Amino acid sequence: MNDFVIDVHDLRKSFGANIVVNRLNLQVESGEICGFLGANGSGKTTTIRMLCGLLSPDSGSGTCLGFDLMREPHRIRREVGYMTQRFSFYDDLTVAETLEFVASVYLLQDPRGTVAGIISRMELTPYADRLAGQLSGGWKQRLALAACVLHQPKLLLLDEPTAGVDAAARREFWDLIHDMASEGLTVLVSTHYMDEAERCKRIVYLSDGHIVTQGAPDDVRRAANLIVFEASGRGIDEAARALRRAPGVESAAVFGSTLRVAGTDREALSRTIAAHPQLAWQEVEPRLEDVFIHLLAERAA
Amino acid sequence: MNGFSFRRFAAVLRKEWIQVRRDPLTLRFIILLPLMQLFLFAYAINTNPKDLPTGVLSADHSNYERRVIAALQESGYYDTRAMKSEAEAERALAEGSVLFVVNIPPNFARSVDRGENPSILMDADASDPTAISYATAALSGLTNVLDRDLPPALKTATPNPAFNFEIHARYNPEQLTVLNTVPGLICVVLMFSTLFLTTLSITRERERGTMENLLAMPLRPMEVMLAKIVPYIVIGYIQVILIIATSALVFHLPIRGSLPLLLLALFFFIASNLVLGLTISTLAASQMQALQLAQFTLLPSFMLSGFMFPFAGMPFWAQWAGEIFPVTHMLRISRGVLLKGNNLAEILPQLWPIALFTLVVTMIGLWFYRETLD
Ligand SMILES: Nc1ncnc2c1ncn2[C@@H]1O[C@H](COP(=O)(O)OP(=O)(O)O)[C@@H](O)[C@H]1O
Ligand SMILES: [Mg+2]
């Protein structure tokens, strides 16, 4: 017995000839917030659906909350809290009705009381009698989160819970996730936002159904051995164009008023940027985004 | 995940009920569709035909006889011509060159004068009941045409009519009564309006993405299926009452048997349609496909039910296929209870096939209800 909440090996899933998840190994420890990253179509949703027993893997083995992924998907389904990528509650039910529905389906002892509790905890009180279809994106997501934690699961699987939600609401949402994790909940959350990835204890980066890298954000950054130089000022657009094909440069891109140039060969990169002395160069920490782009390029090569 | 839980079932039921109540489309569907169909069918089928060819076979030439024939003619429904012999009348009826033969009995006039209340036998070609239903219905209004000419003693004496028409339905004695399309119409309209209530219920959840959550929750297929049917049974009954009331008021639907018995039988019929709709819904990949599947099952069950064509006249294979569909049996129950006053024991042979159908289709639905998204 280990204390991994999720422990799966060689998961594989294909739709027709399209292999969507391929030989995926994943271990998530209890109490962790694990971030699931990857481009659209990289297999995040499919993996999460397999982890909560909604899709049966073609092959592979493993456990989720101690239940066998292949043999006991129905028990897993009952124990996890799963928040779907698309809002999948009923637009024509109110917030309170939705939560009472969920509470009753999970046979909670005191559905009314539990619902009242979660409504106030999630600060949904002003919206309790509003139809779900009339809520804005951020409040819809909050309702969905409330619904999936009602039965006090030990594992939360959140599929892009903050897609299309404004920055302030995203931050509050993540505060909630951290609160829950501090109470011992394990959370696996997929996202496209790098600032959210930074708030995870561990991140897993998927591409085409493979795990490209995983680990703590800092470790992922360090392991890539990526060197990044930044410069700002006039002429960065021209420089970016010139640098893109220069030796030692893997990527050169302009973000607002700064140019970022990345590569793994320090000497070649230093020589290359020295050819642009009109810009004031400065070495900076690589961002996760730089690392992912680098890893994808490396895989493609 | 243990067995059936009433609380979980009740939770889904409540959710379904709220959604039904809030869906304006459902409400329109409930009330307008069946009424529209009722009138459409009734008028499309009961094209009130007039001037039907009618042979007269008279064994008693009298004033009274001439008066009755004139009245038939004046009603607009009968186009009378004299027949020379019984054989000729029989042949004309068989060929279809006349739809009715009026038999004026011997000593008709004397019987009337004596107040014996004689009967005029009307042989009717009932193989097309819709064609003759209005004409036969008109007969009851003609039994007073002799009143003015009656002997004074009879004029005030009895409230009885001076004579009667006795309709003798030929070739298709099952379809004996006037307006016997209406009991069948009730079944057909109900079939159309209830089947579609559940046809979309699962596909809708799938297409809106809400199925994913429903599946992610610890619900058993039976709990979901039942909860998706029960609200519509209520709606089905609202429709039944609407249809029967309208039929009684507008189409003079006779109710000879027990109405509660009919309502009981209709429960099985409604359930069979809802279950069929739901099973179609679980099988179909999209709402579009579900609708096509529903139509695909509606058409043959409608055609083979005995509503469009007399059941006895259909080829063997068509009868056999027709026996499968609940509407065939409900049609017989409805006619039996409303027109013949059948009791429970008499409709039981038609009731269990409906129940069996419901059971089998439920099993198929449960079997194909996928608990994952694969
Ligand atoms: N039910 C399905 N049937 C067929 N293809 C699917 C299905 N679900 C997902 N896919 C395909 O699998 C790939 C991965 O999808 P998904 O897991 O949703 O990725 P992500 O969540 O990372 O965007 C996509 O190419 C998508 O088209
Ligand atoms: Mg996705």
Side-chain angles (χ1 to χ4, degrees):
Chain A
M1 194 57 205
N2 53 47
D3 53 348
F4 289 132
V5 173
I6 297 173
D7 184 12
V8 296
H9 302 276
D10 287 331
L11 278 199
R12 203 186 149 100
K13 180 78 190 176
S14 51
F15 295 107
N18 183 11
I19 301 173
V20 172
V21 174
N22 201 358
R23 309 220 355 236
L24 184 124
N25 290 282
L26 183 64
Q27 282 77 37
V28 179
E29 279 173 29
S30 176
E32 250 183 9
I33 297 179
C34 176
F36 229 45
L37 296 129
N40 278 332
S42 57
K44 302 184 296 292
T45 299
T46 306
T47 305
I48 291 177
R49 281 174 175 166
M50 285 194 283
L51 290 176
C52 69
L54 273 178
L55 279 177
S56 26
D58 296 343
S59 63
S61 64
T63 59
C64 192
L65 287 168
F67 298 114
D68 190 281
L69 205 59
M70 308 301 268
R71 284 194 309 264
E72 304 169 295
H74 50 285
R75 302 190 65 172
I76 297 175
R77 248 181 280 168
R78 196 167 37 169
E79 298 294 329
V80 302
Y82 169 46
M83 180 170 161
T84 56
Q85 179 170 352
R86 243 174 83 191
F87 181 77
S88 57
F89 285 100
Y90 302 94
D91 283 350
D92 44 1
L93 257 57
T94 67
V95 169
E97 283 163 353
T98 303
L99 294 171
E100 273 165 31
F101 167 59
V102 176
S104 313
V105 165
Y106 281 96
L107 302 181
L108 300 188
Q109 288 306 324
D110 170 24
R112 290 269 157 110
T114 315
V115 167
I118 202 85
I119 282 182
S120 75
R121 174 165 183 197
M122 296 280 179
E123 292 160 14
L124 280 162
T125 314
Y127 302 100
D129 294 319
R130 190 87 62 91
L131 291 180
Q134 293 169 355
L135 296 178
S136 70
W139 288 106
K140 259 190 186 171
Q141 300 300 76
R142 217 168 245 243
L143 167 60
L145 181 65
C148 76
V149 299
L150 259 183
H151 61 293
Q152 300 190 305
K154 294 192 188 67
L155 170 64
L156 275 189
L157 301 170
L158 310 176
D159 197 359
E160 295 193 30
T162 55
V165 173
D166 69 75
R170 285 207 293 125
R171 177 154 296 187
E172 285 175 29
F173 196 93
W174 271 83
D175 291 343
L176 277 171
I177 292 178
H178 272 271
D179 289 350
M180 291 175 187
S182 69
E183 291 163 17
L185 207 65
T186 310
V187 182
L188 184 113
V189 51
S190 73
T191 179
H192 282 296
Y193 295 105
M194 293 305 149
D195 59 321
E196 294 182 353
E198 299 282 1
R199 293 187 73 171
C200 297
K201 176 154 177 244
R202 221 157 61 83
I203 55 175
V204 175
Y205 186 72
L206 277 184
S207 171
D208 290 328
H210 291 271
I211 293 180
V212 178
T213 183
Q214 61 177 316
D218 280 337
D219 295 341
V220 166
R221 256 193 298 265
R222 219 167 295 133
N225 286 322
L226 198 66
I227 297 120
V228 179
F229 286 98
E230 240 182 40
S232 52
R234 293 185 43 184
I236 53 173
D237 291 305
E238 292 78 13
R241 215 174 305 131
L243 282 168
R244 230 163 256 155
R245 272 180 210 89
V249 176
E250 270 184 17
S251 71
V254 175
F255 297 85
S257 59
T258 49
L259 166 63
R260 288 173 73 85
V261 181
T264 43
D265 185 343
R266 179 175 290 277
E267 279 188 22
L269 195 62
S270 303
R271 269 198 304 277
T272 299
I273 61 166
H276 294 266
Q278 79 279 15
L279 298 171
W281 293 100
Q282 192 182 357
E283 184 170 351
V284 293
E285 274 278 293
R287 294 186 196 150
L288 282 176
E289 221 166 319
D290 302 324
V291 172
F292 295 154
I293 289 168
H294 158 70
L295 290 174
L296 283 188
E298 208 168 53
R299 254 171 66 89
Chain B
M1 183 163 59
N2 49 46
F4 185 90
S5 153
F6 185 79
R7 276 187 66 199
R8 286 197 298 252
F9 158 71
V12 188
L13 181 60
R14 183 154 175 272
K15 167 224 141 202
E16 292 287 332
W17 186 243
I18 293 173
Q19 290 187 304
V20 167
R21 267 193 359 234
R22 291 195 184 145
D23 184 358
L25 212 67
T26 317
L27 287 175
R28 243 169 282 165
F29 208 74
I30 294 166
I31 298 183
L32 282 184
L33 194 77
L35 285 189
M36 211 178 71
Q37 285 179 333
L38 191 63
F39 281 95
L40 242 146
F41 271 125
Y43 287 117
I45 293 167
N46 288 334
T47 49
N48 198 359
K50 302 222 167 169
D51 293 323
L52 302 173
T54 302
V56 177
L57 205 55
S58 186
D60 179 43
H61 296 283
S62 65
N63 259 344
Y64 286 166
E65 179 239 8
R66 279 186 292 281
R67 187 83 198 85
V68 170
I69 303 296
L72 285 173
Q73 192 80 37
E74 280 159 21
S75 74
Y77 287 107
Y78 300 93
D79 181 17
T80 58
R81 74 185 76 141
M83 295 276 137
K84 287 190 199 73
S85 66
E86 216 161 297
E88 188 198 348
E90 194 64 31
R91 199 171 345 107
L93 201 59
E95 287 168 3
S97 59
V98 297
L99 285 179
F100 297 95
V101 173
V102 184
N103 298 280
I104 309 284
N107 302 325
F108 176 64
R110 204 165 46 183
S111 289
V112 170
D113 280 342
R114 286 186 188 158
E116 288 173 355
N117 193 11
S119 289
I120 295 178
L121 185 69
M122 292 279 285
D123 283 305
D125 177 357
S127 62
D128 185 1
T130 53
I132 61 166
S133 58
Y134 279 88
T136 44
L139 289 177
S140 58
L142 301 179
T143 52
N144 60 356
V145 295
L146 301 181
D147 288 3
R148 262 186 306 138
D149 309 326
L150 289 179
L154 279 177
K155 264 185 188 165
T156 48
T158 58
N160 281 344
F163 70 101
N164 275 319
F165 287 104
E166 191 179 306
I167 298 151
H168 183 198
R170 304 283 295 269
Y171 309 123
N172 190 8
E174 193 188 332
Q175 319 237 339
L176 191 66
T177 328
V178 291
L179 287 173
N180 77 351
T181 45
V182 174
L185 199 55
I186 293 173
C187 305
V188 170
V189 168
L190 200 60
M191 172 177 72
F192 272 70
S193 56
T194 49
L195 181 63
F196 285 107
L197 288 175
T198 47
T199 298
L200 298 181
S201 58
I202 298 273
T203 41
R204 198 188 294 130
E205 297 245 16
R206 259 195 229 124
E207 276 176 26
R208 287 188 190 161
T210 52
M211 197 65 190
E212 187 167 3
N213 239 322
L214 211 56
L215 291 176
M217 289 191 276
L219 280 163
R220 308 249 47 196
M222 193 64 183
E223 293 157 1
V224 177
M225 298 262 288
L226 257 188
K228 282 186 171 294
I229 284 176
V230 172
Y232 296 106
I233 288 189
V234 177
I235 288 175
Y237 268 112
I238 295 176
Q239 293 181 331
V240 164
I241 291 171
L242 217 69
I243 294 170
I244 292 188
T246 310
S247 303
L249 292 174
V250 183
F251 302 115
H252 312 290
L253 170 76
I255 301 176
R256 304 243 163 79
S258 146
L259 200 55
L261 180 65
L262 183 68
L263 294 180
L264 172 80
L266 281 171
F267 172 85
F268 288 88
F269 181 59
I270 294 171
S272 75
N273 283 315
L274 295 175
V275 164
L276 181 62
L278 199 60
T279 295
I280 286 173
S281 203
T282 60
L283 293 176
S286 65
Q287 300 203 37
M288 198 61 202
Q289 204 181 39
L291 286 176
Q292 284 170 346
L293 266 172
Q295 268 154 8
F296 185 74
T297 46
L298 263 180
L299 207 66
S301 59
F302 173 63
M303 301 292 270
L304 303 179
S305 63
F307 178 72
M308 289 291 278
F309 318 108
F311 203 75
M314 296 196 305
F316 175 74
W317 65 266
Q319 290 190 13
W320 192 86
E323 294 283 354
I324 296 173
F325 297 110
V327 67
T328 307
H329 300 279
M330 192 59 224
L331 214 74
R332 296 177 192 157
I333 294 176
S334 175
R335 284 176 180 163
V337 172
L338 288 170
L339 305 178
K340 300 182 201 159
N342 281 1
N343 57 27
L344 180 61
E346 284 163 323
I347 66 166
L348 224 45
Q350 306 298 336
L351 207 50
W352 71 259
I354 301 181
L356 182 68
F357 179 91
T358 311
L359 196 71
V360 170
V361 172
T362 307
M363 299 309 241
I364 295 173
L366 285 175
W367 179 260
F368 283 100
Y369 182 94
R370 277 158 292 169
E371 288 191 82
T372 61
L373 290 167
D374 292 270

